[in-house]
């Protein structure tokens, strides 16, 4: 697998970062610029059966399927499973041309030699082959089959009779589409055709605005417009004619089309790569910008919004990533970044081996070096008391920024022991501390220069890090340990004896505590007691050397290393330090997360920083990268489909079924599973639990299989769940049940026979003396069991009646109050919408008065049944209760606008109901008031608002749904 990052425009990047932080999660999906996607490529070297990709699809279980000339490949994010000729797919030839996944979970596969097969619930079934290669196959709205054939046109197959009917003959049919009106559209080498009622065939040519060229692909957009890919551009069907989609595409041979979830149009060409049309803006990717080849054969967007591109040289993917990297392509002076400074004015300063840059107001500027007459290699940065920037260099000493560029401040001529300045600190007394490769310098505000070195008490002369703690003590990191400076005294600390550490690369200061990044992990010093503790590789960290420590606003440490960035919650670190856990739990971000180079630089400070935009920026050997917390959070919350892939028992594979019977003597059970997430597949974490064996969930980390040995005979249920880094364990589980059959001497009946024989012997000996006692015991047990059962039934009945309405069977007000309290807290905690609706039957008193209370009860029961039926059919999560009398309450897990649609459906359904079977001329209407939890945190207030909305509905004519509005309430009071 190969990784690269497409050229990024810095202005777009910064706007993107800002928009990610300010966007509401419920807002419309945002379109990323092409330059902000991360790219990956797979080919035969990664497990594909062939580099020629013909089709891509995703089934409802989460698997990605890739059709190639060498076979069908199933992808789980880490590896490909190949289905070729002779496999369970039952295809007559390995070449696959067409993939069609249905919402019901079916996968229709077709290709060479007319082969056609269907996968459903992990089972394959072959269909009657066509006479020639199938370029495309679909099910229509009636579940009948349409086949686009090579050289033999369009064929319709009735799935009841299995009879084929040739609709269009003597041409090459490439693609089939059925629109919302049931019309079949066909892309062919002789242009575009439509078929109505399987008989009426129309040809669309130049008279309709299409060029006299082959049509390769067609799609139906979100607004139900037909878009056609031809060998001479892309056209959209509007008002009976086709119009060119974009003037820059009119001469392109277009092979494939895709409209993504953000309604952007992706266009794959035959020789100019990939285009994306968004708001009439056309962007391009080609083999000059990371595409393996310019010939695009197919396009697909998966459930995680990644774009998959099939070429004749492999599979290509564009995806969102949590890291964004800025390089010389965007205006930096150099790519080898050593230091980053987050300035108090909101700017970001970047020091590289080729100069100094400032990122501010969506622009990158280079700091002028002409005044000093030489190029500077930057090692360290710090903010001066007057907001200027102090700049430490590799060979030229210390500089300070001015309006005109840089000004020399201190060199060896002025008393520096070395011109190699690796760290700078401005302390609370405005002293400037300068760490060099040959000693430490303190420059006081009165221009007094003091030099400290090994002879002064420092562990070594090579200074790499400086920090000041809450007590005013200055800490010095060297190449042979650390030291502190307080009131003129230097105290040295050796890390070698206890932790085998020497280098102190960076510091992070907290109240009464100092964290150090060392060459043997993360070290902590209590600055009051000088107690030292550490979290190292032996405690679970993935690397020894930690270069920098940055704490974000979520109390999470970001640790840099020469292998990437480690993300670990401070509570997990403290759990290890306090011996509450043995190993630290972390996330490790390296090159697969879009870091162009996972070597984060060290030996200069600060090499990582938390910027005022909330992002963590790190200095790498190829640009400066930042972690977009919003994007990382969105990815971590992505639902991951999970599947059981293999069940291996003592070396034999069993089919995946809901329940599997295993033979007696089963020794080893191995279960292979997968999380079908493709954003960060190698970083998915897993937990498993074997019910009947495990008492709690077991962490499997990144392992995708688990083994059980010497399980006792019995019934077991295996559960698996997954999560992305920083995410929560998901509720969706992959489950398989298996039963290990016992040997006859392990069975209950065999053991029971032995026991019975023994008891029978005893019974014969004591039968006369024990018979009376046994009878009494039996009667007593039966009586106790009967009374216990009656008490249990009575208790369950009381519990049910306490929370359910006797007339309707719905939950009552007590149960609804409990729901609301719990659900409102959960919704507010997770910033999710929640709506309460109160429903009242209009003029219900008249029903009781005119038709009797018995009829009124039947009306209430009818309304309750209708509500329950609509709630169960709704895609929204809805809870119902009878509030009392003729009032009902609904709790809807959606905002008030979408909940309004459901309430309106309820109102119209009840209004249209025929109640003549209850009483002649009987009809009813309802009124509904609703409100959501936007800016509301109290349950009582939500109920009050919903009740006021209901009152407003009643006052304004009934038979209506009203959303709470404050002005409506005020007008009603007036």
């Amino acid at each position: 697998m190969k990784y690269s990052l497409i050229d990024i425009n810095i202005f777009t990047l910064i706007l993107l970062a800002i928009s990610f932080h300010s966007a509401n999660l419920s807002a419309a999906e945002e379109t990323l610029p092409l330059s902000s996607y991360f790219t990956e490529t797979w080919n035969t070297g990664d497990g594909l059966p062939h580099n020629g990709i013909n089709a891509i699809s995703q089934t409802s279980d989460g698997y990605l399927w890739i059709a190639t000339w060498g076979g069908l490949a199933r992808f789980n994010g880490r590896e490909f499973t190949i289905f070729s000729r002779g496999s369970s797919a039952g295809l007559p030839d390995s070449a696959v041309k067409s993939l069609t996944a249905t919402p019901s979970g079916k996968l229709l596969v077709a290709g060479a030699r007319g082969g056609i097969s269907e996968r459903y619930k992990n089972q394959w079934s072959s269909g009657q082959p066509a006479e020639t290669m199938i370029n495309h196959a679909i099910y229509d709205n009636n579940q009948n089959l349409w086949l686009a054939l090579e050289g033999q046109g369009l064929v319709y197959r009735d799935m009841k009779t299995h009879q084929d009917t040739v609709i269009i003959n003597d041409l090459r049919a490439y693609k089939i589409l059925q629109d919302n009106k049931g019309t079949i559209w066909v892309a062919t080498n002789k242009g575009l055709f439509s078929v109505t009622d399987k008989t009426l065939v129309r040809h669309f040519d130049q008279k309709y605005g299409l060029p006299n060229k082959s049509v390769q692909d067609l799609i139906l957009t979100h607004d139900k417009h037909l878009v056609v890919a031809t060998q001479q551009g892309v056209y959209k069907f509007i008002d009976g004619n086709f119009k060119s989609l974009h003037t820059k595409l009119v001469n392109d041979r277009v092979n494939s089309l895709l409209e993504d979830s953000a309604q952007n149009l992706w266009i794959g060409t035959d020789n100019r790569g990939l285009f994306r049309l968004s708001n009439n803006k056309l962007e391009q990717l080609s083999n000059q910008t990371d595409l393996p080849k310019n010939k695009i054969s197919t396009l697909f967007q998966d459930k995680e919004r990644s774009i998959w591109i099939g070429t004749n040289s492999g599979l290509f993917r564009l995806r969102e990533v949590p890291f964004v990297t800025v390089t010389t392509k965007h205006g930096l002076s150099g790519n080898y970044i050593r230091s980053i400074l987050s300035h108090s004015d909101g700017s970001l300063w970047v020091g590289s081996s080729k100069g100094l840059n400032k990122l501010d107001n969506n622009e990158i500027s280079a700091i002028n070096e002409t005044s000093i007459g030489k190029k500077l290699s930057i090692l360290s940065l710090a903010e001066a008391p007057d907001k200027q920037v102090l700049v430490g260099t590799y060979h030229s000493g210390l500089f300070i920024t001015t309006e005109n560029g840089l000004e020399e401040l201190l060199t060896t001529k002025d008393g520096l022991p070395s011109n190699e300045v690796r760290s700078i600190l401005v302390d609370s007394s405005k002293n400037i501390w300068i760490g060099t490769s040959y000693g430490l310098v303190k420059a006081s505000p009165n221009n007094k220069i003091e030099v400290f070195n090994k002879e002064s008490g420092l562990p070594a002369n090579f200074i790499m890090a400086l920090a000041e703690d809450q007590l005013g003590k200055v800490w010095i990191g060297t190449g042979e340990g650390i030291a502190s400076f307080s009131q003129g005294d230097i105290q040295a600390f050796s890390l070698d004896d206890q932790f085998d550490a020497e280098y102190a690369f960076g510091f992070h200061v907290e109240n009464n505590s100092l964290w150090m990044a060392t060459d043997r992990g993360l070290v902590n010093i209590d600055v009051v007691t000088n107690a030292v503790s550490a979290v190292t590789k032996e405690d679970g960290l993935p690397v020894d050397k930690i270069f920098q420590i940055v704490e974000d606003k979520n109390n999470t440490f970001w640790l840099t290393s020469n292998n990437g960035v480690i993300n670990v919650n401070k509570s997990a670190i403290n759990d290890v330090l306090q011996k509450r856990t043995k190993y630290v739990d972390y996330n490790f971000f390296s090159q697969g997360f879009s870091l162009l180079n996972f070597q984060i630089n060290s030996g200069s400070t600060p090499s990582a920083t938390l910027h005022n935009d909330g992002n963590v920026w790190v200095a790498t050997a190829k640009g400066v990268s930042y972690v977009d917390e919003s994007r990382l959070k969105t990815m971590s919350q992505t639902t991951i489909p999970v599947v059981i892939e293999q069940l291996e028992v003592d070396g034999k594979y069993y089919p995946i079924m809901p329940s599997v019977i295993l033979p007696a003597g089963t020794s080893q059970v191995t279960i292979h599973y997968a999380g079908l997430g493709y954003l960060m597949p190698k970083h998915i974490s897993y937990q498993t639990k074997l019910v009947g064996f495990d008492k709690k969930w077991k962490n499997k980390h990144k392992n995708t299989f688990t083994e059980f040995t010497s399980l006792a005979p019995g019934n077991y249920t295996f559960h698996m769940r997954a999560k992305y880094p920083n995410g929560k364990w998901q509720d969706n589980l992959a489950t398989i049940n298996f039963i290990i059959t016992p040997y006859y001497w392990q069975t209950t009946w065999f053991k029971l026979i032995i026991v019975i024989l023994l008891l029978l012997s005893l019974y014969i000996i004591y039968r006369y003396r024990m018979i009376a006692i046994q009878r009494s015991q039996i009667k007593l047990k039966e009586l106790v069991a009967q009374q216990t059962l009656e008490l249990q039934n009575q208790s369950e009945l009381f519990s049910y009646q306490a929370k359910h309405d006797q007339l309707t069977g719905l939950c009552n007000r007590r149960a609804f109050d409990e729901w609301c309290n719990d659900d409102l807290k959960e919704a507010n905690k997770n910033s999710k919408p929640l709506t309460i609706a109160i429903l009242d039957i209009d003029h219900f008193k008249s029903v009781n008065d005119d038709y009797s209370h018995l009829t009124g009860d039947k009306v209430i029961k009818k309304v309750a049944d209708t509500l329950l039926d609509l709630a169960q059919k709704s895609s929204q999560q809805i809870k119902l209760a009878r509030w009392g009398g003729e009032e009902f309450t609904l709790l809807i897990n959606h905002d008030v606008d979408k909940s309004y649609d459901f309430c309106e459906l309820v109102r119209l359904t009840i209004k249209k109901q025929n109640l003549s079977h209850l009483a002649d001329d009987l009809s009813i209407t309802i009124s509904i008031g609703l409100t959501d939890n936007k800016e509301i945190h109290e349950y009582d207030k939500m109920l009050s608002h919903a009740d006021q909305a209901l009152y407003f509905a009643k006052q304004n004519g009934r038979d209506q749904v009203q959303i709470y509005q404050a002005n409506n309430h005020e007008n009603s009071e007036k």
Side-chain angles (χ1 to χ4, degrees):
M1 189 184 301
K2 307 172 186 66
Y3 299 94
S4 62
L5 187 66
I6 306 167
D7 184 20
I8 307 171
N9 179 276
I10 189 62
F11 178 80
T12 306
L13 278 176
I14 298 175
L15 287 180
L16 176 64
I18 295 171
S19 66
F20 259 100
H21 282 281
S22 61
N24 189 299
L25 290 177
S26 63
E29 184 178 324
E30 185 175 2
T31 298
L32 292 179
L34 280 184
S35 56
S36 294
Y37 284 97
F38 189 68
T39 67
E40 293 161 273
T41 303
W42 292 264
N43 53 38
T44 52
D46 304 301
L48 277 173
H50 196 282
N51 284 335
I53 311 299
N54 296 321
I56 307 168
S57 191
Q58 187 172 25
T59 44
S60 57
D61 56 12
Y63 279 116
L64 276 172
W65 298 83
I66 298 95
T68 79
W69 288 112
L72 175 65
R74 187 185 73 185
F75 191 39
N76 63 10
R78 297 176 309 281
E79 60 185 4
F80 295 94
T81 301
I82 308 303
F83 298 85
S84 57
R85 186 175 69 85
S87 68
S88 57
L91 295 169
D93 192 272
S94 295
V96 178
K97 283 282 289 179
S98 170
L99 296 174
T100 303
T102 70
S104 63
K106 293 180 180 180
L107 178 69
L108 184 62
V109 184
R113 301 198 181 189
I116 188 163
S117 186
E118 178 187 272
R119 176 185 180 267
Y120 184 56
K121 294 183 178 180
N122 290 321
Q123 301 297 316
W124 290 94
S125 58
S126 300
Q128 174 186 340
E131 294 183 3
T132 186
M133 182 167 67
I134 302 174
N135 288 321
H136 193 214
I138 68 166
Y139 290 114
D140 64 16
N141 296 337
N142 297 317
Q143 298 304 300
N144 293 308
L145 203 58
W146 292 80
L147 306 176
L149 302 183
E150 180 71 21
Q152 295 188 12
L154 179 68
V155 171
Y156 167 80
R157 177 175 294 178
D158 189 303
M159 295 305 289
K160 292 182 179 179
T161 64
H162 298 284
Q163 293 296 315
D164 287 353
T165 303
V166 177
I167 306 298
I168 307 174
N169 203 354
D170 296 330
L171 49 72
R172 295 176 179 175
Y174 301 128
K175 210 62 173 286
I176 312 170
L177 180 147
Q178 184 174 35
D179 65 19
N180 55 307
K181 296 180 180 179
T183 300
I184 298 292
W185 296 85
V186 191
T188 78
N189 66 320
K190 295 182 179 180
L192 179 68
F193 290 83
S194 71
V195 180
T196 306
D197 295 330
K198 299 188 290 293
T199 55
L200 181 59
V201 178
R202 294 178 61 190
H203 183 212
F204 292 82
D205 52 17
Q206 291 177 327
K207 293 182 297 183
Y208 296 91
L210 284 177
N212 187 23
K213 297 288 183 180
S214 172
V215 175
Q216 299 295 120
D217 198 6
L218 39 88
I219 62 171
L220 203 62
T221 65
H222 69 282
D223 54 2
K224 309 305 180 185
H225 283 294
L226 182 69
V227 179
V228 177
T230 78
Q231 292 295 281
Q232 195 173 319
V234 183
Y235 297 84
K236 190 173 185 179
F237 195 45
I238 302 175
D239 298 330
N241 283 285
F242 285 91
K243 297 181 180 179
S244 176
L245 205 60
H246 200 281
T247 56
K248 292 184 178 180
L249 298 172
V250 292
N251 294 318
D252 280 308
R253 298 195 301 272
V254 181
N255 295 333
S256 55
L257 298 170
L258 167 71
E259 186 184 46
D260 65 22
S261 55
Q263 300 172 11
N264 303 306
L265 190 64
W266 298 75
I267 301 150
T269 71
D270 192 64
N271 58 1
R272 286 223 297 153
L274 179 68
F275 291 88
R276 185 180 70 178
L277 185 62
S278 177
N279 296 324
N280 210 35
K281 176 185 176 183
L282 196 65
E283 300 172 89
Q284 182 182 11
L285 286 181
S286 68
N287 59 3
Q288 302 298 317
T289 52
D290 294 314
L291 271 178
K293 284 289 183 179
N294 278 337
K295 184 172 183 177
I296 309 299
S297 54
T298 186
L299 297 167
F300 181 75
Q301 184 181 39
D302 67 18
K303 296 174 183 177
E304 295 175 318
R305 299 189 303 167
S306 295
I307 303 298
W308 297 81
I309 301 149
T311 75
N312 60 351
S313 292
L315 182 65
F316 185 74
R317 194 260 294 267
L318 300 171
R319 68 177 171 97
E320 297 181 15
V321 285
F323 281 82
V324 177
T325 302
V326 184
T327 67
T328 52
K329 294 180 180 180
H330 320 117
L332 291 183
S333 299
N335 278 338
Y336 197 87
I337 312 300
R338 291 196 179 97
S339 186
I340 316 167
L341 173 67
S342 180
H343 200 282
S344 60
D345 64 5
S347 62
L348 189 78
W349 295 74
V350 180
S352 72
S353 60
K354 294 186 178 180
L356 181 64
N357 296 97
K358 179 181 180 181
L359 280 67
D360 192 22
N361 293 326
N362 302 335
E363 294 181 356
I364 295 180
S365 58
I367 304 305
N368 186 7
E369 297 175 342
T370 55
S371 59
I372 56 177
K374 55 183 174 181
K375 273 284 184 183
L376 297 180
S377 179
I378 311 302
L379 275 181
S380 54
L381 298 169
E383 185 173 346
D386 55 1
K387 306 301 182 183
Q388 292 174 287
V389 176
L390 296 167
V391 182
T393 69
Y394 206 148
H395 304 292
S396 305
L398 182 67
F399 290 75
I400 191 167
T401 57
T402 65
E403 292 182 358
N404 298 322
L406 291 171
E407 178 182 310
E408 188 178 276
L409 194 62
L410 285 175
T411 68
T412 52
K413 297 181 299 183
D414 307 300
L416 282 183
S418 168
N419 280 334
E420 186 177 324
V421 179
R422 291 192 167 269
S423 187
I424 310 169
L425 169 69
V426 179
D427 67 18
S428 54
S429 300
K430 298 185 179 180
N431 299 304
I432 299 176
W433 296 79
I434 305 136
T436 78
S437 61
Y438 208 72
L440 176 66
V441 172
K442 176 185 177 185
S444 304
N446 59 6
N447 297 324
K448 178 183 177 182
I449 301 293
E450 297 179 79
V451 179
F452 305 93
N453 51 33
K454 196 169 183 178
E455 294 180 358
S456 310
L458 292 178
N461 289 333
F462 194 83
I463 312 299
M464 290 185 294
L466 296 166
E468 182 183 19
D469 65 22
Q470 302 295 324
L471 304 177
K473 187 182 297 183
V474 173
W475 292 86
I476 305 116
T478 79
E480 297 180 20
I482 63 169
S484 66
F485 182 94
S486 179
Q487 299 178 353
D489 294 329
I490 294 177
Q491 181 179 3
F493 295 81
S494 175
L495 304 175
D496 183 49
D497 297 339
Q498 190 172 356
F499 304 110
D500 191 30
E502 293 182 352
Y503 291 91
F505 296 104
F507 295 116
H508 174 66
V509 178
E510 293 181 339
N511 289 332
N512 300 325
S513 181
L514 181 75
W515 295 90
M516 291 183 295
T518 78
D519 59 339
R520 287 296 182 270
L522 195 61
V523 178
N524 179 264
I525 292 184
D526 187 313
V527 298
V528 178
T529 65
N530 288 337
V532 183
S533 56
V535 176
T536 68
K537 196 171 182 180
E538 284 70 27
D539 301 306
L541 286 179
V543 295
D544 279 319
K545 288 185 179 180
I546 305 296
F547 295 150
Q548 200 81 40
I549 309 162
V550 176
E551 183 179 0
D552 66 16
K553 58 185 177 181
N554 299 317
N555 296 322
T556 299
F557 276 165
W558 294 84
L559 313 176
T560 65
S561 75
N562 56 6
N563 288 314
V565 181
I566 304 161
N567 167 278
V568 56
N569 195 283
K570 277 177 59 180
S571 62
I573 293 287
N574 288 324
D575 285 343
V576 172
L577 293 178
Q578 300 299 324
K579 309 299 183 184
R580 289 190 290 266
T581 57
K582 188 175 182 180
Y583 298 109
V584 67
D585 191 18
Y586 63 88
N587 296 307
F588 195 24
F589 304 99
S590 57
Q591 196 168 8
F593 283 86
S594 76
L595 288 169
L596 289 185
N597 192 300
F598 48 78
Q599 176 186 330
I600 313 301
N601 287 328
S602 64
S604 52
T605 57
S607 59
T609 187
L610 177 67
H611 198 33
N612 58 12
D613 59 5
N615 294 326
V616 177
W617 292 72
V618 294
T620 82
K622 194 173 182 181
V624 57
S625 298
Y626 70 85
V627 187
D628 192 307
E629 281 284 343
S630 297
R631 206 183 300 180
L632 184 61
K633 181 179 179 181
T634 300
M635 290 182 182
S636 68
Q637 294 174 345
T638 301
T639 299
I640 306 174
V642 288
V643 294
I644 306 295
E645 292 198 319
Q646 285 183 348
L647 174 63
E648 182 182 358
V649 181
D650 295 332
K652 178 182 178 182
Y653 291 99
Y654 282 72
I656 303 301
M657 302 174 65
S659 185
V660 181
I661 306 296
L662 302 182
T666 293
S667 174
Q668 185 176 59
V669 178
T670 304
I671 301 174
H672 297 261
Y673 45 80
L676 301 180
Y678 302 92
L679 291 174
M680 299 177 279
K682 294 184 179 179
H683 299 270
I684 296 174
S685 296
Y686 298 95
Q687 281 188 341
T688 66
K689 180 168 40 172
L690 184 62
V691 179
F693 183 78
D694 296 324
K695 293 183 178 179
K696 59 181 181 180
W697 287 96
K698 298 290 185 67
N699 287 320
K700 296 300 178 180
H701 304 290
K702 307 300 185 292
N703 291 331
T704 57
F705 71 94
T706 187
E707 293 181 342
F708 302 96
T709 57
S710 302
L711 290 173
N715 193 330
Y716 298 93
T717 301
F718 177 80
H719 296 303
M720 182 274 286
R721 62 185 182 182
K723 71 169 184 174
Y724 275 136
N726 288 352
K728 295 181 179 179
W729 292 111
Q730 299 180 166
D731 295 331
N732 56 311
L733 306 178
T735 300
I736 188 171
N737 176 266
F738 60 91
I739 301 170
I740 299 179
T741 307
Y743 289 111
Y744 76 88
W745 62 81
Q746 295 176 310
T747 60
T748 302
W749 65 264
F750 180 82
K751 296 176 182 178
L752 186 60
I753 288 175
I754 299 300
V755 172
I756 289 174
L757 289 174
L758 292 173
L759 291 176
L760 184 60
S761 299
L762 293 174
Y763 174 75
I764 293 172
I765 296 172
Y766 296 103
R767 66 185 184 278
Y768 295 111
R769 297 179 57 184
M770 299 295 296
I771 191 167
I773 297 174
Q774 289 175 343
R775 288 177 178 176
S776 299
Q777 288 178 340
I778 292 172
K779 289 181 180 180
L780 181 59
K781 287 180 180 179
E782 290 176 347
L783 181 61
V784 170
Q786 182 179 357
Q787 291 178 344
T788 301
L789 181 61
E790 290 175 354
L791 288 173
Q792 287 177 343
N793 291 339
Q794 190 176 29
S795 175
E796 292 175 357
L797 179 60
F798 287 160
S799 176
Y800 180 88
Q801 291 176 342
K803 292 188 177 182
H804 287 76
D805 175 54
Q806 186 175 1
L807 175 61
T808 63
L810 296 178
C811 290
N812 60 17
R813 182 167 185 167
R814 174 184 294 178
F816 191 80
D817 285 340
E818 293 178 2
W819 291 343
C820 288
N821 275 319
D822 295 342
D823 288 13
L824 182 59
K825 290 177 182 177
E826 184 69 17
N828 288 336
K829 178 181 176 181
N830 297 312
S831 300
K832 292 184 176 179
L834 186 68
T835 296
I836 289 180
I838 302 178
L839 179 153
D840 183 82
I841 302 174
D842 296 330
H843 302 297
F844 185 71
K845 185 177 183 301
S846 299
V847 175
N848 285 333
D849 293 343
D850 296 339
Y851 298 99
S852 80
H853 286 277
L854 179 59
T855 301
D857 287 347
K858 292 180 179 179
V859 169
I860 290 174
K861 182 66 169 62
K862 181 65 175 177
V863 171
D865 292 343
T866 302
L867 285 172
L868 185 60
D869 180 63
L870 292 175
Q872 290 174 342
K873 292 178 179 178
S874 173
S875 60
Q876 305 175 22
Q877 185 179 346
I878 301 171
K879 295 179 179 178
L880 302 173
R882 184 182 179 191
W883 194 246
E886 65 272 23
E887 287 189 333
F888 297 84
T889 49
L890 298 88
L891 191 63
I892 306 172
N893 283 359
H894 251 301
D895 57 32
V896 73
D897 293 323
K898 292 185 178 179
S899 300
Y900 176 89
D901 296 335
F902 176 76
C903 292
E904 184 66 15
L905 173 63
V906 170
R907 182 188 71 81
L908 291 173
T909 302
I910 291 175
K911 183 176 181 180
K912 294 176 180 179
Q913 283 180 338
N914 182 2
L915 302 179
S916 60
H917 63 287
L918 300 181
D920 293 338
D921 301 324
L922 174 59
S923 62
I924 60 169
T925 62
I926 61 169
S927 299
I928 304 177
L930 65 158
T931 188
D932 62 13
N933 61 337
K934 186 177 182 182
E935 301 180 356
I936 297 180
H937 300 282
E938 297 85 21
Y939 163 52
D940 292 343
K941 192 170 183 181
M942 281 189 71
L943 274 177
S944 175
H945 283 185
D947 193 48
Q948 290 168 22
L950 175 62
Y951 178 79
F952 186 79
K954 291 286 191 179
Q955 290 295 105
N956 286 271
R958 295 180 171 83
D959 189 19
Q960 58 184 273
V961 179
Q962 285 289 340
I963 299 174
Y964 172 78
Q965 302 289 340
N967 56 343
N968 291 344
H969 173 58
E970 293 170 359
N971 292 334
S972 297
E973 288 183 340
K974 291 177 182 180

